[in-house]
Amino acid sequence: MTSRAERKYRVATAFQRRVGNPLLRRMPFQTLLETTGRVSGLPRTTPVGGRREGDAFWLVSEFGERSQYVRNIKADSRVRVRVRVRGRWHTGTAHLMPDDDPVARLRSLPRLNSAAVRAIGAELLTVRVDLDG
């Protein structure tokens, strides 16, 4: 990773940890992804942007396998997703999709989040969550 990309990653993750994620997790309209911490075993909730399509939920990680929630998915692919206003939690199995075109995928996801992911993202990675019945 170049030094510019590394700086971008550090600034973005520091902001997300201290301001963005704590604030967005409280918003009723925010989509949330809950993973199990790979070290602690505790639930970890991350605000994400994505879209449900049938029995799958699609999202794009802006920092690919460097994202903490992606690392958690690699350790335990069972997750929960809460979609939008008054959304209920849905359990599912997450799959990392390195062969999917994340830029094309972003075109089919909510515009505001997609623009933010493109702006700060350095290593885009598509994630698909197959939702349980």
Side-chain angles (χ1 to χ4, degrees):
M1 185 179 271
T2 67
S3 62
R4 182 172 187 260
E6 183 63 29
R7 272 195 311 275
K8 197 179 203 184
Y9 170 77
R10 289 180 186 274
V11 168
T13 56
F15 176 79
Q16 288 171 342
R17 275 195 193 116
R18 291 178 181 86
V19 179
N21 288 355
L23 179 65
L24 289 174
R25 278 194 298 255
R26 290 178 173 80
M27 305 289 246
F29 59 82
Q30 181 63 51
T31 300
L32 300 175
L33 174 70
E34 184 182 87
T35 60
T36 301
R38 63 193 176 282
V39 175
S40 69
L42 298 173
R44 300 295 181 203
T45 306
T46 305
V48 296
R51 174 166 285 141
R52 183 174 181 166
E53 295 177 5
D55 289 334
F57 182 82
W58 293 86
L59 66 122
V60 175
S61 168
E62 64 265 45
F63 294 111
E65 294 191 17
R66 293 187 74 184
S67 295
Q68 298 301 316
Y69 68 88
V70 171
R71 291 178 176 181
N72 290 341
I73 288 169
K74 288 176 78 174
D76 181 356
S77 62
R78 294 297 298 164
V79 300
R80 293 191 324 150
V81 178
R82 188 192 80 189
V83 182
R84 303 287 178 194
V85 178
R86 287 186 273 152
R88 62 183 183 93
W89 286 97
H90 301 274
T91 59
T93 304
H95 304 278
L96 305 181
M97 310 291 291
D99 294 332
D100 189 68
D101 180 356
V103 175
R105 180 68 55 193
L106 283 170
R107 288 188 208 111
S108 71
L109 300 179
R111 286 185 189 180
L112 182 60
N113 178 263
S114 294
V117 168
R118 277 193 298 273
I120 64 173
E123 302 171 34
L124 304 179
L125 174 66
T126 302
V127 178
R128 183 189 77 224
V129 177
D130 293 332
L131 302 171
D132 299 337

